[in-house]
Amino acid sequence: LGDEVEAFEQEFAAFVGVPHAVGVGTGTDALTLSLRALGIGPGDEVVSVANAGVAPVAAIRASGAQLRLVDVDPDTLLIDPQYLAGVLGPATRAIVAVHLYGNPVDLGALLEVASARGIPVVEDCAQAHGARWQGESVGSRGRVGCFSFYPTKKIGAFGDGGLCVTHDAQLAARIRE
Ligand SMILES: *Cc1c(COP(=O)(O)O)cnc(C)c1O
């Protein structure tokens, strides 16, 4: 904590192009705290993919929500928005879109489906620091973007680290609380 983290939050927010960034313990914490700050808990469903390691799934379960898996594109191995309609239901409260291997998810089609139903998109950017979709940084288009600074990631800390970015001042304040 302290001045260095605050300075890093400000620099990283500017790098992504959003007004708010909140430093947290890990990338998994970034996802869990984002889901909880969105009011998600037991009885809710959150949609994500099966091929992104254990972290997004662990974060969804840690929030208390049930996981619903959506299939990926066989070429990019990223979430395929065309399959979303088949898994979104009345209990769906969020979509965790995972940008993998530095490649951005097709956010245009994804955000269109999500916003038509009023479902917030949480961008998992743990493997995509600096990646851009149509010129805009990953993490800046969803309700919240989650980054990891685990030592093996594209920006590594000396130990664990994570960060949430968002345009939403209230959501940032809730995550910080
Ligand atoms: C590493 C990773 C996370 C979690 O980050 P930690 O800091 O290790 O908790 C989340 N999502 C993806 C896709 C990751 O690769």
Side-chain angles (χ1 to χ4, degrees):
L1 299 175
D3 294 345
E4 289 296 337
V5 169
E6 251 173 60
F8 182 70
E9 286 173 343
Q10 284 168 17
E11 284 173 44
F12 205 85
F15 171 67
V16 174
V18 299
H20 308 286
V22 184
V24 298
T26 68
T28 307
D29 284 353
L31 291 165
T32 307
L33 293 169
S34 293
L35 293 170
R36 290 175 59 185
L38 288 167
I40 290 163
D44 297 333
E45 286 181 3
V46 176
V47 171
S48 195
V49 294
N51 64 327
V54 76
V57 169
I60 290 166
R61 294 299 291 129
S63 78
Q66 286 293 329
L67 169 72
R68 285 294 301 270
L69 292 172
V70 63
D71 217 338
V72 297
D73 180 293
D75 294 322
T76 64
L77 303 180
L78 301 170
I79 187 169
D80 190 334
Q82 72 169 316
Y83 298 126
L84 277 172
V87 298
L88 299 179
T92 309
R93 294 286 174 270
I95 299 166
V96 177
V98 190
H99 306 289
L100 282 175
Y101 327 118
N103 295 322
V105 163
D106 176 1
L107 285 172
L110 184 98
L111 289 167
E112 202 172 298
V113 176
S115 65
R117 296 179 181 241
I119 298 171
V121 172
V122 175
E123 292 182 66
D124 181 339
C125 312
Q127 295 189 18
H129 313 61
R132 288 173 176 270
W133 180 81
Q134 293 194 348
E136 290 177 277
S137 279
V138 295
S140 69
R141 293 297 309 272
R143 276 296 292 287
V144 54
C146 300
F147 289 83
S148 166
F149 303 107
Y150 186 76
T152 62
K153 306 292 180 173
K154 285 162 183 68
I155 299 177
F158 283 112
D160 281 303
L163 192 98
C164 301
V165 296
T166 181
H167 290 277
D168 182 336
Q170 279 189 326
L171 188 64
R174 276 203 294 277
I175 293 168
R176 204 176 282 285
E177 280 169 10

